[in-house]
Amino acid sequence: LSRISKQLVFPESVAVFAGRARSIVQSGGGVDVAFHGLSFSGAKAPESLLGKYGAPREGAVNVGIMHSSLAGAPGHDDYAPCGVADLHRHGFDYWALGHIHSRAVHRGASIVVMPGMPQGRGIGESGPKSATLVTIREDRSIELEERPTAIAQFEKVSVDMTGAVEWREAVERIRSA
């Protein structure tokens, strides 16, 4: 429900979730997949959104899409906090989350994935970045594949400058590290 997305023109194949949770069923390969989601309009969501999601659709593979910080993470505001165990109990097969920019996969009664982000934006988001390709097979099994996506990668590197007197020596040590 952001101002930016309201200005975009999406193809007919794109579904945009509104402020109330709903599900959209897509069929392919003999499998029905129900995508459950809702949008958010505010920068803060101090309460869990999980209670707004309906029950799983019987006979379908159920995918929940939620913007949530889970139980929180250093450097991030809590956003729609909820526990991984709560998501497992809800009955969906897969949860696609967003908000925390670090990748995490939690397996249990369902698969809960915080995919991270495709590209770090600065040294505060160092390390490899990726997207998750999710494949739902005809037997309803779910396969995850992490795919590296970052064009540039930020890293903190320690460089021992002990005894370096000349600028060229410092530069060479940095280059070597």
Side-chain angles (χ1 to χ4, degrees):
L1 294 175
S2 76
R3 293 177 305 182
I4 295 170
S5 62
K6 286 180 181 178
Q7 296 175 13
L8 299 174
V9 177
F10 293 107
E12 288 183 29
S13 61
V14 173
V16 177
F17 291 109
R20 297 185 105 179
R22 69 180 178 123
S23 61
I24 299 163
V25 178
Q26 296 286 318
S27 297
V31 177
D32 288 341
V33 179
F35 294 93
H36 306 263
L38 79 145
S39 189
F40 56 92
S41 58
K44 304 228 180 253
E47 305 294 324
S48 175
L49 298 175
L50 186 56
K52 296 184 178 200
Y53 284 75
R57 293 248 181 148
E58 196 170 319
V61 173
N62 289 272
V63 175
I65 302 168
M66 186 187 327
H67 199 89
S68 171
S69 63
L70 286 175
H76 290 275
D77 292 336
D78 277 350
Y79 192 93
C82 65
V84 172
D86 299 324
L87 296 174
H88 287 310
R89 278 192 297 273
H90 192 76
F92 290 173
D93 301 288
Y94 179 82
W95 281 96
L97 305 179
H99 187 71
I100 305 298
H101 295 173
S102 298
R103 179 177 174 75
V105 177
H106 307 276
R107 294 183 183 270
S110 61
I111 303 171
V112 178
V113 176
M114 185 71 74
M117 63 190 307
Q119 176 63 60
R121 299 174 295 177
I123 195 63
E125 296 173 333
S126 61
K129 303 300 174 203
S130 62
T132 301
L133 175 64
V134 180
T135 302
I136 299 173
R137 303 243 179 254
E138 288 179 20
D139 66 358
R140 301 173 47 97
S141 64
I142 298 172
E143 178 184 310
L144 305 178
E145 182 184 340
E146 181 182 7
R147 292 215 174 159
T149 53
I151 294 171
Q153 183 170 311
F154 297 92
E155 292 291 344
K156 294 178 183 178
V157 179
S158 295
V159 180
D160 183 1
M161 292 296 203
T162 305
V165 177
E166 298 294 323
W167 180 249
R168 277 190 216 152
E169 187 177 4
V171 169
E172 182 52 41
R173 288 183 188 189
I174 291 168
R175 192 175 281 137
S176 176

